[in-house]
Amino acid sequence: MLVTFRTKAYADITMFGDVAVTLLKLMGQSGKVPGALMPEDIPAALAKLKAAVEEHAQEPLDPIPNDTQAAPQDGKEGQYVSLAHRALPLIELLSAAAADNAYVMWD
């Protein structure tokens, strides 16, 4: 499943569903898709997401398995994308929406 975040203040952002649901929960949302944030709720959600990223910035959010035919590089079992990298586009979208007093929707 893919989840797309939309606001009139920023370009649409599409994420894998499991990543999007994790980020939504870190924002204090239920994680249900579809959903929306009213403009007055965005600053609190943004603050929660930023706090979670600061606390767990280098923790992996999801594994990217190596190709089974390829030898692992540097002896690593797989590569990971950090929470900070996964959350950055959503943080930028929420910041733009807050500045423009715009709704944020996801489906």
Side-chain angles (χ1 to χ4, degrees):
M1 163 176 85
L2 295 175
V3 176
T4 301
F5 291 89
R6 304 175 198 283
T7 182
K8 68 176 186 168
Y10 199 82
D12 293 354
I13 296 173
T14 302
M15 298 180 172
F16 289 113
D18 56 340
V19 173
V21 168
T22 298
L23 294 176
L24 285 167
K25 288 181 179 180
L26 290 174
M27 291 167 40
Q29 300 300 304
S30 67
K32 294 190 183 214
V33 178
L37 279 172
M38 295 188 306
E40 59 268 17
D41 296 330
I42 293 171
L46 179 58
K48 287 179 184 179
L49 182 58
K50 283 182 175 181
V53 167
E54 286 179 24
E55 185 177 343
H56 306 286
Q58 296 306 314
E59 291 182 21
L61 187 57
D62 58 330
I64 301 173
N66 285 330
D67 183 351
T68 57
Q69 301 298 321
Q73 296 180 355
D74 301 327
K76 294 181 182 175
E77 294 287 325
Q79 297 176 345
Y80 293 87
V81 177
S82 70
L83 172 61
H85 280 84
R86 289 287 189 192
L88 183 61
L90 185 55
I91 288 171
E92 290 177 350
L93 180 141
L94 291 170
S95 297
D100 199 37
N101 202 34
Y103 286 86
V104 173
M105 294 153 282
W106 56 90
D107 54 22

